[in-house]
Amino acid sequence: KTLKQPCVGDPRPHFSSRYRRDGSFGRQSVCERATGGRQPWMGLRFGQLTAGCVNGYAYDGVSSIAFDAVEECIWAGSLTGTLYQQLTPTLDCHAALNTNQSSGPVLRVQTLGQSVAALSAGQMGVYMSGGACRGCYLDRQMDMSDMVYRHWNHQVLVGRSGVDYSGEAIDPPRSRHVFMYDVVRSSVISEFETAHPVALMAPLSSGQVVMASPTGDLMVFDPRQGDITGNGSVGQAKVFSHGFAALESSGNLIATSGYGGLAHRPALEPFVKVFDSRMGIKALAAIPFSNGPSLLRFHPTLRSTVLACSSGGMFSMVDTSGTTLESYFVDMGGDSVSACDFNMNGDCIVFGGANGSVSLWGSENAAVTATGLVPEHAAPFDRSMVPYMDDTTSFSAAMNYAVHHRMEEQATASHVRPDEVMSVGLPPRVVDEALLASQSSKQVEFVTHIANPKYDENNTPGMAAAGVAAVRNKRVRHRRSGKEMAAAIDERARRRKMMGEVVLPNQFRRVSIKQQKGSRFEEFDFGSFNATSFSGLENGLANCYMNPLIQVLYFCRPLRDFAVGYAPDPEDEFSLLGEVSFVFQMLATADGEVCQASNLLRALRQTPEAVALGLLEGVKGERGAVDIAVEAQKDKNLVRRIERLCRLLLTRMDKEGGGTVADIFCLHQRQRTTCLTHTELPPKELDISTFQVELKYPKEAGPAVDFARVLGGSLETSNEIKAWFDQTVKYQPVRQQRCPTKLPQVLVTYTGLEDPSLIRFWEGANASSKFPYAVSIQYDKETGATHVVTAPDLVQLKGLCDDDIDDNDVDGGNLYLLTGVICYIYDKDEAEEMGRSYEGHLIAHINVPGNYSPTPLGAPAGNTSGDLGLRWITFNDFSITPCQLGDIQSTFDGQKQPVLLFFTKVDLLRQTMAKALQEPADVLSPDAFQSLCSAPPIQSSFPKRVDLAPRTFKPFSKGELIQKGDLFALDAEFVAYSAPEKMVMSELDDWSRASMRLGLGRVSLVRGSGPMAGVVAIDDYIQSVEPVYDHLTRYSGLLPGDLDVQTSRHHLTTLRKAYLKLRYLVDQGCIFVGHGLKKDFRMLNIVVPKDQIIDTMDLFWPGRGRRLSLKFLVAFFLGSSALGSGFQVDSHDSIEDATAALKLYKLYEKLTLAGKMEEALSRAIDWGLAAGWDPAAWHPAESSQHVPLF
C-alpha cells in the first residue's frame, strides 16, 4: 500500500495525542503514522494521506463506507456483501466478515456508537469491533434500500424500494415501505405506509426523515405521526424526473442530486439542489457542478458546507448559498468513486472506489477520532486449558470454571472466553400443568396463551394483575428499591471517605419523597427536612429542576413584590407570569409547608419556546417509558438547560408584565460595529439589552485569574467576526465591541461551565477569592471602559473602592452584594450507582433578608453583608438548611459547580429591608368573580357543538355577597395524564409505584350556610389541553369526551378560571368542608390556611388506626336513604361527595353538642370490624340494624 501522490510541499503535519503500546503517552503526526515519518503534501486544505484497498487479493468494489465513531478505523461494505474493518491511517485490514452474499451488496454502513450496522437488500446486521455479530434481521422480501439511525431510542428506520437487489419488482406490491427496528430488542416494532417506495433516506433535526423515491419524488416523513407530513407540495415534491443519485441532510437543509433528460436517455444533472424542510419542501438553491454530483456529504461541523463528488474523482466543497469554496481530484486507480464519508469533526475524508481501492484524505490539524483508541487484536487462546464437557456431563462441572460474567457488563457472548461461564439471565418460567390443561389454554404457532385465572369482572381493576404478580415477576428484571439504592450510595461514600477522597455533604445530596407501601402522601414527614419557616418545593414532577430558580426569584424583593401584587388575566390560560405569581403567593402564605408548582410546570409544558430550546423533560410512564417526543428534544446538559430556562422565564415575564421585569434584571449595552476591510466607513452603533451576562474566561483560566478580571472582560467585550455590515459592502469581517450603558438592579451572571475543564477556575486553595460576595462595577459612559473590584464582604469592598464611590450610582459606580447562587450537583457516589440515567440535580444558596421570616434567622455565619443582616440558606427542593460560607464556595472536588450568580444592588437591599413585605393581592375583584361564575361554557363560542346538558348548579348572583366565615363543601375529581411508573423490586410480589401525573378534571362547590345551603354553586369541568391517559372513571365519574371541547355536554371551563374562582373564595376567608381536602387542595395547587379547612376524614377519626372512607361514613351514619342506594357504587360524583361531606359535618356538630361523638365513633369502628369496611358487602338485614343516633 503506497501513496499515489508525491510527498512534497508543505511540511506542516498535525499532531494528535495518543496512547502508545509501550504505556507512554506521546504525540505523533497523522502524516507520520501514514508514511513512516515522511510528511506528504497537505494542499491548501485537504491532501491525500494514505491509499490502499479493502482486499489485497481479490477485486471487491466498495459500495458504502463510514468512519468509526470511537476507534481509529473505517468500515467499508463491498459489492459482494463483505464488511471490512480497516485501521487508520495505514488502512491495514483488521477484520473482514461475509454478511450475506445472497442479499447483494452492502447498501449502507451506519455507526451506532460502539457498534456498526450494515444494511443489504435482505439483511441488516449489527457488529462489534472485530466482527462479532450483536444482532441480525433477515428480510424475506429482500427489498430494503436505506436506513436512518435514531440514537435517542436505539431504533433504526428502514426503507423499502419495492424491488429486490437484482431489479425484480416485488409481487404483490406492498404499501408499507418503511418499518422501525429496535436494535436493543432485535425486532421490528412498527410499520408505516408511505406514498411511494423509498430509495434513499436522511435524518432531519426536527426528528423527521427526508426520503427519496425511485421515481424522483422527495418526501418528508415523521415516524411519530406515521405518515407523510402534509399533502402535495407541503410534504412532497417532484425533484428529478428519473430518480435520485444522492440525498443528504444537515439540520433542516436537504441536498440532492439526480437524473433528468429524455425518457430513453436519462443523464445526471450538473446541479446540487438544496431545499429547506422547515416550511414544507422549499427550494433554496441550485449549485452548479459540471462533473455531475454522484455523491454528497454535509460537513459535520460546517453545517452549510457540502462535499459534492463525481464518479470520475473530482470533488468540491460548496456552500449551500451557491459558492464553491475549494476543488480537488482523487485518483482511484483509474476506476470510479463509489462511496465517501467525513469523520466526526470533518478533518478527514475517506473515498471508496468501484475497484476496491480506498483513499484517506486529511486537512491541516486533522484527527481521525477524538479518543485515539485502536481496535484490539484478539490474543491466541490455549484450548488445552478448557475442561471437556459433553451432553452427559453434570451441570455441577460448570463450577470448575473460574470467572463469572454478568450480561449487563458484557453485552455479547464473544467477550467471554471458552474457559469462563456467564449468567444467561432470569430463570425459565414454569407454568402449572393445571393451567396448561385448562380450557382457556390456546396455542398459536409456538406461543401458548392462557386466560388469567384471577380475573373476575366484578373485581376492582388491577386485582387480576396483582394476583399473578408473583408468577409474572419471575421473568422481569428486578431493580433495587430506594432504600437499597440509598444504602449502596452511603456505603460507597463511606469507602471513598476512608480512602481520603472528597465526599459530598448530605445537605447537598438529592432528596426524594420516600413512601411506604400503602401509605399516603400526607403521611410523609417533610418537617424532618426543614426546620425553618420557609417553604420548599416538591421534586416529584417532570421539569421540577426549575425549583431552585423559583426560590431565588422569590427572594428577589422587587420581583416578589411585583408578582404577588399582579392581577392575572383569566383569559390567558398559560401565562408564565400569572403562574409565577400564584407560586409566590403560596410560598408567602404556606408558613413552612411544602408547596407544589404543578400549574407553573403545566404552563411551561405548553410554551412553544420551551420545547424549541429543549427545556422540557419527558414524563415517566408505565415500566419506565417516557414521553419520547419530548425526551428526544430535551437538552441533556442540565447546566445549559437551567441557564436557558432563566433567560426564557425572565423574557416571558417581562413581556407579560409590561417591562417591569426588565427594569429589575435588564443590562443595557451599546454595541459598536466597525468594518475591518472598509475602514473609511463610519462605525455603526446599536443599543441592546440582555437579562444575563455570560462569563468569558481567558484562555488560561487558572488560579492566577480572579473573578474581577473575568466579569470585567464579560461586560466589556470585543470580537472579530464575519457579519452583515450594510447594503453596500454586505458581509464583511467586522469588530463588535460592547460596553455597559446602564446596570440592572439585579445582575444575573452565567458561569458557562459547560466545559468541565473550566471548573478549575473555581477550585483550589484560593477559592474564596473566586466567590465575589461583594462587587463594585464602575464604567465610563462615554468610552465604555469598565473597572470591577471584588472583596470577601461589603466592609472590605468599601475600603478598596475610591472615596467618591458609595452605595449610590455616582459617576457609573455601583456596589453589588451576592444574594443567590444556583449550583449544579454531580454526586460521584450516586452517579456510580445510577449509571447512564444519572444527570445530577440543582440546589440554591440564597442570602435571605431578615424580613422574609417571622422569626429571627439567628446570627449569620460569616457575615458578608455588613449591617444588612442577611443569612445564607440552602434550598434543596423541600430540604432547607442554614449553610456556612465555606459550603457555598467549595466545589467538593468538582461535585458542586456554580451555574447562575445573582448580584443585588446594595442601595436596593437597604430600601427593601426598611419596608414591609408586599401582601398578596386579591386575584379577582367581586365584580370579576361574579362575571366568571356566570360566564357561559367554552362550547358556547363554537358554531357547531353538541347539545349541552342542563346546568347542574346555580351560580352566585350579584346580591349574594361572599363574606368571611361562609361555609362551602368542596370535592374535586382528577384524571391521569400519564401512566404510573412501575418497577419490580427484590420481592417477587411487590411493585414499587410512582404515582401517575394527575390533572384536575372536575370541581364542585356546594353552599353550606345561608338561605341557599345545600345548593350547588360551582360545577366546572376542566378543559383538557393534552391527551388524557386515563379518565379514572371508577373514581372520578368522568367519561372519555367529558373534557373535550368538541364532544363534552357539560359546563366546560379552563383551569385558570376554575383556579381563580376557588382562590378568590380562599382569599375572602371562606371555610371549606370535604373529605380528604388536603390532597384536593394540593392537587389544585392552592395553599389554604388550616383554620379554613374542615376535613371529615379527621373529624371521624379517633386519632389512631385506619381512617374511615366517605362511603363507609355515609352508609353507617346517614343510611342509604340520605343520598340514595347507589352512592359510590360504580363511580364517584363530585356533587354527591361534597353534599355527603356537608351532611356529615352537620351531624358531627349535633353529636358534639350532645356529647355523643366519641360513643358514635366507637360504635362505627366496632361495626366495621364486625361487618366489614365495604358497605356493599353488608347484608341488607344487617345494614339496617345499627341504632339511629337521633
Side-chain angles (χ1 to χ4, degrees), residues 232-517:
S233 61
V234 178
Q236 306 180 44
K238 187 72 172 180
V239 180
F240 298 104
S241 59
H242 292 83
F244 288 82
L247 172 69
E248 270 294 300
S249 65
S250 174
N252 296 306
L253 297 177
I254 305 171
T256 63
S257 64
Y259 298 91
L262 301 177
H264 62 285
R265 293 190 62 185
L268 186 61
E269 293 188 359
F271 295 100
V272 177
K273 296 184 179 181
V274 183
F275 301 88
D276 191 337
S277 65
R278 285 174 291 187
M279 302 294 292
I281 300 179
K282 180 181 179 182
L284 293 182
I287 307 172
F289 188 76
S290 58
N291 297 279
S294 60
L295 298 172
L296 298 175
R297 283 292 184 274
F298 269 103
H299 196 283
T301 57
L302 307 175
R303 298 293 183 175
S304 62
T305 302
V306 187
L307 182 151
C309 181
S310 69
S311 60
M314 181 63 69
F315 69 96
S316 299
M317 300 293 178
V318 298
D319 191 86
T320 53
S321 62
T323 305
T324 300
L325 304 177
E326 298 167 354
S327 297
Y328 306 92
F329 177 78
V330 54
D331 183 10
M332 305 304 294
D335 215 324
S336 60
V337 180
S338 56
C340 68
D341 189 33
F342 276 107
N343 68 337
M344 294 187 67
N345 54 16
D347 289 344
C348 295
I349 315 173
V350 62
F351 297 92
N355 58 354
S357 57
V358 180
S359 178
L360 178 64
W361 284 56
S363 66
E364 286 187 311
N365 301 324
V368 176
T369 63
T371 62
L373 298 177
V374 179
E376 296 182 357
H377 290 273
F381 175 67
D382 185 6
R383 295 186 176 273
S384 62
M385 300 297 293
V386 182
Y388 176 75
M389 293 180 64
D390 57 17
D391 295 340
T392 62
T393 306
S394 172
F395 279 104
S396 61
M399 301 306 296
N400 296 327
Y401 291 88
V403 183
H404 293 72
H405 286 276
R406 297 178 61 185
M407 283 296 292
E408 307 93 85
E409 299 169 355
Q410 301 293 345
T412 59
S414 60
H415 288 86
V416 183
R417 300 195 306 271
D419 62 335
E420 297 175 337
V421 295
M422 65 188 298
S423 171
V424 295
L426 299 167
R429 175 176 295 171
V430 179
V431 182
D432 191 350
E433 294 183 0
L435 292 177
L436 294 174
S438 64
Q439 295 182 354
S440 63
S441 176
K442 182 187 299 183
Q443 184 169 354
V444 179
E445 294 182 351
F446 56 89
V447 178
T448 301
H449 302 266
I450 305 175
N452 190 342
K454 303 291 184 180
Y455 176 75
D456 187 346
E457 60 181 8
N458 297 321
N459 284 345
T460 303
M463 291 184 63
V468 296
V471 178
R472 179 185 62 244
N473 295 348
K474 289 181 180 180
R475 293 295 299 160
V476 179
R477 189 174 300 279
H478 303 153
R479 295 177 60 181
R480 287 181 296 178
S481 65
K483 184 181 296 185
E484 293 172 338
M485 178 72 75
I489 294 174
D490 292 340
E491 176 61 22
R492 183 182 294 275
R494 187 188 65 82
R495 293 198 305 265
R496 289 204 308 116
K497 188 175 183 179
M498 292 180 60
M499 297 172 60
E501 300 183 26
V502 180
V503 176
L504 189 70
N506 290 331
Q507 64 265 32
F508 301 144
R509 288 188 172 183
R510 185 194 307 271
V511 292
S512 58
I513 302 175
K514 300 181 178 65
Q515 287 183 256
Q516 301 292 333
K517 186 177 180 181

Side-chain angles (χ1 to χ4, degrees), residues 729-749:
V729 298
K730 299 182 174 22
Y731 285 95
Q732 294 294 332
V734 299
R735 179 183 294 110
Q736 283 188 352
Q737 297 171 298
R738 293 183 181 181
C739 61
T741 57
K742 182 181 179 182
L743 294 176
Q745 299 181 62
V746 179
L747 178 65
V748 184
T749 61

Side-chain angles (χ1 to χ4, degrees), residues 770-1068:
K770 301 297 178 65
F771 251 88
Y773 293 105
V775 177
S776 169
I777 303 175
Q778 305 176 44
Y779 62 93
D780 191 313
K781 295 182 179 180
E782 299 297 330
T783 64
T786 304
H787 179 63
V788 178
V789 179
T790 63
D793 55 57
L794 194 58
V795 177
Q796 296 186 42
L797 180 65
K798 291 182 178 180
L800 295 174
C801 296
D802 297 336
D803 295 335
D804 59 339
I805 300 298
D806 57 10
D807 295 354
N808 300 314
D809 184 8
V810 179
D811 297 330
N814 298 273
L815 294 188
Y816 285 88
L817 195 66
L818 183 66
T819 54
V821 183
I822 295 180
C823 297
Y824 169 69
I825 302 298
Y826 184 86
D827 189 345
K828 294 182 179 180
D829 302 305
E830 188 176 3
E832 287 291 335
E833 293 297 327
M834 296 186 64
R836 294 184 177 181
S837 62
Y838 181 77
E839 67 174 15
H841 66 282
L842 300 167
I843 66 170
H845 298 300
I846 304 177
N847 211 359
V848 179
N851 56 355
Y852 268 84
S853 176
T855 59
L857 295 177
N863 188 7
T864 62
S865 57
D867 58 344
L868 293 178
L870 280 67
R871 175 68 186 270
W872 282 102
I873 306 291
T874 298
F875 290 79
N876 185 4
D877 293 327
F878 54 82
S879 175
I880 305 176
T881 55
C883 62
Q884 305 293 329
L885 292 182
D887 295 335
I888 300 173
Q889 64 198 27
S890 176
T891 63
F892 298 100
D893 194 22
Q895 297 181 94
K896 186 168 80 71
Q897 306 172 12
V899 179
L900 292 173
L901 307 178
F902 294 78
F903 298 92
T904 305
K905 279 189 174 181
V906 175
D907 60 342
L908 176 65
L909 290 173
R910 294 192 186 282
Q911 295 172 10
T912 55
M913 290 283 289
K915 297 188 301 183
L917 294 175
Q918 172 76 31
E919 292 295 329
D922 292 341
V923 293
L924 292 172
S925 65
D927 292 339
F929 173 73
Q930 299 285 351
S931 177
L932 271 186
C933 291
S934 58
I938 297 177
Q939 302 96 310
S940 61
S941 61
F942 286 77
K944 295 182 180 180
R945 64 177 186 269
V946 298
D947 295 332
L948 298 180
R951 179 178 282 182
T952 57
F953 63 97
K954 185 175 182 179
F956 293 101
S957 62
K958 290 187 177 180
E960 190 175 1
L961 298 178
I962 306 298
Q963 298 179 353
K964 184 177 181 180
D966 285 351
L967 183 66
F968 294 96
L970 175 73
D971 190 72
E973 308 293 353
F974 302 91
V975 295
Y977 285 110
S978 68
E981 183 185 5
K982 298 179 180 179
M983 55 186 178
V984 182
M985 295 304 186
S986 56
E987 301 84 21
L988 295 180
D989 59 346
D990 185 26
W991 286 76
S992 174
R993 175 173 177 171
S995 59
M996 55 187 69
R997 183 168 62 95
L998 300 178
L1000 183 62
R1002 182 187 180 188
V1003 59
S1004 300
L1005 193 75
V1006 180
R1007 298 173 177 90
S1009 58
M1012 299 183 67
V1015 179
V1016 181
I1018 296 175
D1019 187 24
D1020 287 341
Y1021 287 72
I1022 309 304
Q1023 178 192 8
S1024 175
V1025 296
E1026 55 183 305
V1028 177
Y1029 172 79
D1030 189 353
H1031 286 80
L1032 305 175
T1033 303
R1034 181 175 177 83
Y1035 309 102
S1036 67
L1038 299 173
L1039 299 172
D1042 283 353
L1043 308 183
D1044 189 345
V1045 72
Q1046 302 291 341
T1047 59
S1048 178
R1049 299 180 64 246
H1050 306 287
H1051 187 275
L1052 207 62
T1053 186
T1054 63
L1055 178 64
R1056 170 62 63 86
K1057 293 179 179 178
Y1059 180 93
L1060 289 175
K1061 287 186 283 188
L1062 294 176
R1063 183 59 190 266
Y1064 175 82
L1065 295 174
V1066 173
D1067 293 341
Q1068 297 305 309

